[in-house]
Amino acid sequence: MNILTKKVLFLFTVIIGCISAAPAQPTDTLFKPASILKTMERVADWQLNTWEQKGSRWPKWDWTNAAGYTGILELGKLSKNDRYTKYLVSVGNDLNWNTGPNRFMADDYCIGQTYANLYLLYKDDKMIAPFKALADSIIAQPHTESLAWRNNIQTREWAWCDAMFMGPTSLSYLSTATGEKKYLDIAVKLWWKTYNYLYDPSEHLYFRDSTYFTKEEKNGAKVFWSRGNGWVMGGLVRVLDNMPANYPDRKKFIRLYKDMAARIAALQQPDGSWHASLLDPASYPVKEASGTGFYTYALLWGLNNGTLDKKTYWPVVQRAWAALSACVHPDGMLGYVQRIGAAPDKVDENSTEIYGVGAFLLTGSQLYKYMENNGK
């Protein structure tokens, strides 16, 4: 053995020794339950701290905040910190457990689903008494008007797709809280009315409202708004959460859910997110966190409930959670949330809104559950 060969063998031995002695690379904690919960708390704490320091941009009963409350409530069920649930109770007390002033507009009673969930935790009748009275008056309405976007129809009917997260969910949770089937029945009746008007069966997506039936994106595609369909998907699984297994329309809801889930999964972008426009993502080339959050939440619900195939949908969820986690700033602010609107629009890293936080926390709650049951 010559000197050169000896040197090579010596170096090889040293290198192997160093590799063996080197500490293992830190494992990816992105999908560890403890890491998921920590990220959720960081996002929620930023939101609550911002409210405490600067106040809310919107009234406490407003749909923007109400959508956020849904996620804060789910975090409260997981966290050892009682700050989150206590905050929601304080909101209810501040509002005397009333919904917004426009009684029959779904936006204004979106908060009803949080009231119903808090009632399920505390069994305090005052938490649902005003909303129950409102729900009875909703049932009493004729609901015979066209959903065409005119004459302020949105103040009386679910004439826009966003309403599917606001209205049917609230009535469905009230049904669970009270044990009265009539609230679920009206939610289902009005769900199908909106479905028949706004759902495009060829695309398996919802138009935002009737004014979008003939609009086109820059590439000539139909206008299907990411957050708008996210509202639908999020609402869909929340209604299903309150629907008994033997409920007559459950199979029909599951078919709709699976059709939309397949379509949404196929539209996921290479960065793991969904952009503001579903069919023209190139015109809005930046990830959008609110639509992405609601989709990921809805898909995880299907995985947790055995409704979706793990092999097909878990990779979609993995990419989506990675994209969502990257939207969280070091201080906990959630960026890349499209501002209030009715159609696809621009977004950037500093765009934030409370409903995006709600979607993120809903997603985290379902992911936490999934990893608890399926993690290695």
Side-chain angles (χ1 to χ4, degrees):
M1 185 180 296
N2 59 38
I3 295 176
L4 180 60
T5 303
K6 287 182 178 179
K7 287 183 177 179
V8 170
L9 285 173
F10 175 77
L11 288 170
F12 180 76
T13 303
V14 171
I15 290 169
I16 292 298
C18 290
I19 291 173
S20 301
Q25 291 297 311
T27 55
D28 180 16
T29 60
L30 193 60
F31 292 90
K32 300 293 184 182
S35 177
I36 295 165
L37 182 57
K38 185 177 180 180
T39 301
M40 292 171 68
E41 289 176 334
R42 190 154 54 92
V43 171
D45 287 344
W46 179 89
Q47 187 63 64
L48 294 187
N49 291 341
T50 299
W51 277 336
E52 288 174 1
Q53 295 164 13
K54 301 179 181 179
S56 173
R57 296 174 62 197
W58 318 111
K60 289 186 175 181
W61 48 261
D62 193 67
W63 65 271
T64 50
N65 289 333
Y69 300 155
T70 63
I72 293 171
L73 188 139
E74 294 305 317
L75 170 58
K77 295 177 183 178
L78 296 177
S79 177
K80 293 179 181 179
N81 189 339
D82 63 0
R83 177 188 190 190
Y84 311 110
T85 305
K86 280 186 173 179
Y87 176 80
L88 296 176
V89 172
S90 74
V91 169
N93 285 327
D94 287 348
L95 295 171
N96 293 317
W97 303 95
N98 286 306
T99 56
N102 200 330
R103 287 179 57 75
F104 296 117
M105 187 171 188
D107 280 353
D108 281 27
Y109 59 86
C110 178
I111 197 172
Q113 59 192 293
T114 294
Y115 292 164
N117 271 293
L118 289 172
Y119 172 83
L120 288 167
L121 292 175
Y122 295 99
K123 302 298 182 182
D124 188 340
D125 288 343
K126 73 179 180 184
M127 293 178 168
I128 57 170
F131 181 48
K132 190 172 182 291
L134 171 60
D136 287 336
S137 63
I138 292 171
I139 291 173
Q141 298 303 303
H143 300 294
T144 55
E145 289 185 85
S146 165
L147 299 185
W149 197 256
R150 57 175 180 264
N151 300 324
N152 292 316
I153 185 61
Q154 71 273 19
T155 63
R156 302 180 298 281
E157 297 274 7
W158 301 343
W160 73 115
C161 70
D162 314 31
M164 310 318 289
F165 187 86
M166 318 298 173
T169 48
S170 299
L171 293 166
S172 298
Y173 278 107
L174 182 64
S175 180
T176 297
T178 62
E180 295 188 51
K181 180 173 171 285
K182 63 181 179 179
Y183 301 121
L184 179 59
D185 288 344
I186 190 63
V188 169
K189 174 186 174 181
L190 297 182
W191 180 286
W192 293 125
K193 179 176 181 179
T194 303
Y195 164 89
N196 289 331
Y197 193 72
L198 294 181
Y199 186 69
D200 184 333
S202 66
E203 296 287 357
H204 301 292
L205 297 169
Y206 277 69
F207 290 102
R208 196 274 177 175
D209 59 63
S210 66
T211 66
Y212 288 86
F213 288 166
T214 58
K215 291 181 180 179
E216 294 183 351
E217 295 283 16
K218 290 179 181 178
N219 65 357
K222 299 174 184 177
V223 179
F224 288 111
W225 180 32
S226 181
R227 184 165 69 242
N229 280 275
W231 288 126
V232 175
M233 288 289 286
L236 184 51
V237 299
R238 290 175 75 75
V239 171
L240 281 166
D241 254 343
N242 293 281
M243 190 175 285
N246 62 352
Y247 191 82
D249 278 33
R250 186 174 176 88
K251 289 183 178 179
K252 189 176 177 183
F253 269 81
I254 291 292
R255 282 197 300 272
L256 172 61
Y257 169 73
K258 287 185 173 181
D259 285 346
M260 291 194 73
R263 181 60 164 143
I264 289 303
L267 294 171
Q268 187 181 35
Q269 296 303 299
D271 63 9
S273 75
W274 286 265
H275 295 185
S277 172
L278 291 176
L279 301 190
D280 188 12
S283 290
Y284 305 90
V286 179
K287 61 184 176 180
E288 198 287 305
S290 61
T292 298
F294 285 122
Y295 294 141
T296 314
Y297 163 59
L299 295 177
L300 276 161
W301 181 94
L303 291 172
N304 281 326
N305 286 275
T307 308
L308 296 181
D309 171 64
K310 179 179 178 180
K311 183 178 179 181
T312 301
Y313 289 95
W314 175 237
V316 177
V317 166
Q318 284 181 298
R319 293 190 295 269
W321 180 247
L324 283 169
S325 297
C327 294
V328 180
H329 290 221
D331 64 358
M333 187 187 88
L334 181 71
Y336 293 98
V337 180
Q338 187 190 328
R339 306 289 189 183
I340 294 172
D345 204 349
K346 295 179 293 184
V347 65
D348 62 46
E349 63 180 347
N350 294 312
S351 306
T352 192
E353 281 288 358
I354 175 56
Y355 46 76
V357 171
F360 184 91
L361 297 177
L362 288 172
T363 298
S365 69
Q366 287 290 320
L367 182 60
Y368 184 95
K369 178 180 178 181
Y370 183 84
M371 295 311 300
E372 285 269 277
N373 294 330
N374 297 278
K376 295 181 180 179

